Each structure stands twice: as structure tokens, then as C-alpha cells.
Amino acid sequence: MKLIELVKKIRSKNAGPFLLTIDIFFSNKKRFIKVLKNLTKSKISFLYQIPKKQIDIYPIHNLNIIKITIPRPTIQGSTKDRDLHGASFGIILEELTIL
Amino acid sequence: MKAKVLIPTGALGITYCKKTLNKGLKEKPDIIVVDGGSTDSGPAYLGIGKSKYSRSTTKSEWKTLMIARERLKIPLLIGSAGTCGTDSTVDWFVEITKELAKELNHKIRIVVIKCSQSNKEINKAFLKKNLFPLNNAPKICSDKILKCTNIVGLAGVEQITEALNSKGDIIICGRSTDASLIASLPILKGVEKGVAWHGGKIGECGAFCTTNPKSGVILISFKKKGFYIKPISNDTKATPYTVSAHMVYENSNPSTLIEPGGLLNVKNASYTQQKDGSVYVTGAKWFKDSKYKVKLEGTYVVGYQTISLVLIREKSYVENIEKWAKQIEITAENTIKNTLSLKKKNYEIQFRFIGKNATLGYLENRKVNPSEIGVLAIVTTKKKKDSEEICKILNPLLLHHSIYKDGELPTFAFPFSPPSFEMGKKYEFCLNHVIEIKDPMDIFKLEKFTI
């Protein structure tokens, strides 16, 4: 299954100009746990092309939310930046295969 | 109740419902608090020292809040005035306030908190090793600090409390942390710091912590050990889920928040639905830093930009867009070398393919066959005149470059005349650091006057 089929919403935001934070919302515990088991730092590292040690994953059990915080691919608004508000970066996760 | 804080909207400038605001005033708040800024719209506002929102909408929305303040005779507080909260935008905001006071015939005592920093002083602190990097901070050096067009320090509860103690009717604060605006009065009235800061974070975007973010106005009522969060509009609800989930919003860590002077931890907070539609929140803790630190934001000019946009509809070019752009780049580089005598380190040409991967670039993982592609050419140079020159060198290539040896030259579509746009100075954020200071007012200035 693709991740997009299992989530309620994926939200990507700047956490200041230097960090990006992606929140994955689930409508039930079962799906939250299923994805949590599958969503490894290796997969995120591959998709965002950043080292594993720069990735933080926070499962928020009482809200069925998984938060991922990573360095912004480029500093917000810098010459190479493509998305000032960082809201498009979460889309990259949508196609991820979840077993 | 120790303190009731009315928050009309997440940011002044994005409009709010006046009818709902009037309903909120009936709750007899002790203060009206509104945020005016953020770094979220990019470095140019801080770089230039100007507001993102229009003067007319700012004035119109501020007018309603000034009328509300006059009716209730309670303080009105705005933080991060004019988006970036530099002294220039604070002055701009004071000017608007003065105009309105005259129009409305209000006699007001204004207290201003200025947050702009001197490059020399910040550099001194850097050399004394008094600046500390936050998570993923870029490397800094004296040269970059001295080159900054603007540096601001983020005011927190301590600075705003100084202003509140100065008995201002209206407090206009430069750059400040969102949560501190709401937390200040409750802390002054004896609310536990963890509770006040938590309320500040939850209420920072107004009704974003409810089921309908567009509904705007909310009221936070603080007791010593907890707070009630209540949406004022009838078309929204606060639930334990919507309230607790706001802690996650634009925050790198879901249970902690670094603020001036300490750290908020909400790990043990509890959220309970109340019969009147509000949510009661308690249990957050504040951990005071042994040394007082203030966050800094700074921008500097990395160069000058000129951009151009051309539309490609011809199938064989759409399919070979990268090859086409690469050939243009190589041809242009040769011309630049031969005619401008410019070395590659002094300029950069980027092509972005709108319709293909302009948003995500090398991270794009979806393959599509677009019928057309917009090619955005971005030229960044160290010197102003070079960016325009290079864009003009690119122009005939963007218009006619052929990937074939023979045949008639193609002609692509420019949607504008002139086909390129001077963007001017290109700003970048360069500080994500805290500065250690002895007294919270060391790097902030308070100004008081009556109009």
C-alpha cells in the first residue's frame, strides 16, 4: 500500500528557516502503528537525500501523529530554495510503500 | 481567573471577523494580543526591513482593535510589528497608530519595544564566544555578521513584562516570540510559567487550535495551574485533540519549546473537554535556563537577481527540456566568459522546469508527461549590472535555441514584455543563534510616549 492511502493528512511546514517538520495524521491507531513500524530513518534518508543521523522521528501516540523533523533541503528563501513555506516537501512521502 | 487573553487572529493583516471580535469583548478580557509577524514568508522582509502586509489592511484591522481597546480600557499588545519586527517596521507601525489616534480622537500612552541589534555589538559577542548555534544553524563569521542588513533579537516575557509594567495602553513590540505575547500578562498576574507559556503556544495562531482555523477569535482564561481555551465563533469547536495537536504545529519537537530564558515541556500536560465548549489544559512545566539567552535573526545580501520565464509547448522540446537547457547554459557561459570576462564563481544560472519538477527539484519522485513546461531562468550575480546583462545574453537563446543541427529555428513563448524581471537584492537568512546576556533588557530598548 502507498502511504497516502493510509493517512488522514500529511502536513509539511518550516520550523524556522533552517528546519522542516512533517506531520503525518492518522484516523486510527491501527494505521498509525502500521506506518510507525514501516517508516524507518533509512527510507526517509533515501527520499530526502540526507544522512540518517539528521532525522528525528517523534511518534505522538495519544494523537496518532508521526512527526518527522529534518534539516531543510535548502535554507528557506536562499538562492537554491524552491518552496519558501516548505509546504510541498511532505508530498515526497505519499508514494512510499508500506507493507 | 487570574488573566483573560483575547486573541482576534493568528496574524494582523490576514483579516478577522469583527462581529466575532465584538462577541469576544463581552467576555471581559484583560488584554487583547495579536501577532504581527514571522520569518515564514522569507528573508526579504527582514532583509529590507519592511512589512509583508499592505499598509491599508494593517491600518484597517488595527483600527478595529484600537476601538475595542478604547471601549474596554484594557491594554492592546502587538508583537513582531510589521512582519520582521525591525526598528523600521516598528516606526512604521507607530506612525499608523498615531494616524488612527488622531482620526479616532483617542488619547493613548504608547510603549514601544525596539529589537534591532547593532552589527558591531553582535560581532563583539561572537568574538567573545557569546553566540551559540541552534539546531542546524549555518556557520557564521565576523564578515557575515557585519554584512547583515538587519539583525533582530526576539523579545520574550521579560521584555514585554517591562512594557506592561510601564502602563502602556498600546504596546508595540518589535520581533518577539509568538508564545511570549500571550504568556506575559498571565505570568505577571502569578500564573505558573509552564501553564502561561503553554497557553501562549496553543493560542499563537488564534483559532488554528480549533476545528475551524478560519473562525479567528479565541479567548484563553488562565488560572494559576491551568487554562481554558475557548473559541468565540459559533462555527468552530475546541477539542482536546485540536488543542493538543497545535503543539505539533511548526514546532520541531512535539513536546518541548525553546523560549527566551528557558524551555517549555508539555509531556505531562492533560487536556479535558468542558461543558461550555472550552478545553481545560494543565500540567506543562517550565525549566528556567541558568543563563538568559535571546534568539537572533539576521539577513545579508548574497547577490542580485534577474529572472525570465519562457513557455515551451513543442512536444520534442518538452521531452528534451533538460538537454535544451544544458545546451543554452554552455553557450551562455562561453558568451559570458568572452564578452563580460566574468568568472563562474561570480554568477549562477538556474533553470527550473515548471510542470515537471520546479517545486521539488532533485527530490521529485513522480514522473509525468506534461504537455508544456514553463522554464524559469534565474540569474544570481555578485554585482547588480551583471544579472541584467546575463539575462539579456540568455534571452535570444531562450527564444530560439534549437537542439537540432538543421532546420528552421524554433520560437518559444514569452508571456511578458520585457521578458525578464529585475528582482534586485537577494537576501538570505544567516543567523540561527542565541546570544547570552546578563539582563533581559541589555539588548532591547523601551520607548514611552503619549499621543
Side-chain angles (χ1 to χ4, degrees), chain A residues 68-87:
Chain A
I68 302 164
T69 299
I70 58 171
R72 246 181 151 279
T74 50
I75 296 172
Q76 183 207 6
S78 62
T79 314
K80 291 235 170 11
D81 189 31
R82 292 160 176 268
D83 179 8
L84 264 185
H85 295 81

Side-chain angles (χ1 to χ4, degrees), chain B residues 210-246:
Chain B
T210 71
T211 54
N212 177 6
K214 283 187 222 154
S215 61
V217 193
I218 59 163
L219 181 84
I220 310 184
S221 305
F222 289 91
K223 292 204 300 191
K224 191 177 179 207
K225 289 183 179 298
F227 64 88
Y228 297 87
I229 195 138
K230 185 180 175 186
I232 300 300
S233 169
N234 290 330
D235 62 5
T236 190
K237 277 184 193 142
T239 71
Y241 180 87
T242 62
V243 172
S244 57
H246 191 75

Side-chain angles (χ1 to χ4, degrees), chain B residues 111-272:
Chain B
V111 180
V112 170
I113 306 171
K114 292 262 176 94
C115 302
S116 279
Q117 304 298 320
S118 131
N119 299 39
K120 277 186 188 166
E121 292 302 318
I122 296 299
N123 186 42
K124 267 188 209 165
F126 169 68
L127 295 172
K128 278 187 197 162
K129 302 200 184 312
N130 250 348
L131 294 195
F132 304 91
L134 291 166
N135 193 357
N136 204 34
K139 280 214 169 85
I140 51 164
C141 56
S142 286
D143 183 45
K144 252 189 198 177
I145 293 171
L146 294 170
K147 261 196 207 161
C148 278
T149 57
N150 275 307
I151 302 175
V152 287
L154 274 75
V157 162
E158 288 72 17
Q159 296 79 16
I160 293 164
T161 303
E162 281 277 321
L164 287 168
N165 282 335
S166 302
K167 305 279 175 229
D169 299 312
I170 292 180
I171 297 161
I172 298 169
C173 184
R175 188 68 175 123
S176 38
T177 78
D178 297 357
S180 67
L181 302 171
I182 299 168
S184 292
L185 184 74
I187 288 174
L188 187 63
K189 299 278 182 188
V191 173
E192 279 186 6
K193 284 190 174 176
V195 169
W197 275 108
H198 194 193
K201 169 64 191 166
I202 299 297
E204 65 175 358
C205 294
F208 271 50
C209 61
T210 71
T211 54
N212 177 6
K214 283 187 222 154
S215 61
V217 193
I218 59 163
L219 181 84
I220 310 184
S221 305
F222 289 91
K223 292 204 300 191
K224 191 177 179 207
K225 289 183 179 298
F227 64 88
Y228 297 87
I229 195 138
K230 185 180 175 186
I232 300 300
S233 169
N234 290 330
D235 62 5
T236 190
K237 277 184 193 142
T239 71
Y241 180 87
T242 62
V243 172
S244 57
H246 191 75
M247 194 60 206
V248 177
Y249 189 74
E250 291 181 349
N251 190 15
S252 61
N253 184 315
S255 46
T256 61
L257 192 66
I258 302 168
E259 287 288 338
L263 177 110
L264 172 72
N265 191 319
V266 304
K267 208 155 196 170
N268 295 321
S270 70
Y271 306 80
T272 327

Side-chain angles (χ1 to χ4, degrees), chain B residues 12 23 44 59 93 109 134 201 237 283 329 355 417 437:
Chain B
L12 192 82
K23 200 176 157 204
K59 190 173 173 181
F93 207 89
R109 183 172 154 81
L134 291 166
K201 169 64 191 166
K237 277 184 193 142
E329 194 183 327
S417 171
I437 50 177

Side-chain angles (χ1 to χ4, degrees), chain A residues 5 25 72 80 86 89:
Chain A
E5 297 167 54
F25 296 76
R72 246 181 151 279
K80 291 235 170 11
F89 292 109

Side-chain angles (χ1 to χ4, degrees), chain B residues 7 27 29 33 96 157-158 181 219 269 306 371 376 405 447:
Chain B
I7 302 130
E27 301 275 349
V33 168
I96 292 173
V157 162
E158 288 72 17
L181 302 171
L219 181 84
T306 303
S371 57
L376 182 64
K405 275 186 185 159
E447 291 171 8

Side-chain angles (χ1 to χ4, degrees), chain B residues 40-78:
Chain B
D40 212 32
S41 297
Y45 301 108
L46 179 62
I48 304 164
K50 276 197 165 175
S51 165
K52 169 189 171 177
Y53 295 112
S54 86
R55 195 182 198 277
S56 53
T57 54
T58 302
K59 190 173 173 181
S60 151
E61 290 181 26
W62 189 235
K63 182 180 179 178
T64 315
L65 297 183
M66 280 178 65
I67 294 168
R69 183 215 62 82
E70 182 72 11
R71 238 174 77 193
L72 267 63
K73 300 283 182 199
I74 55 171
L76 169 62
L77 163 65
I78 181 161

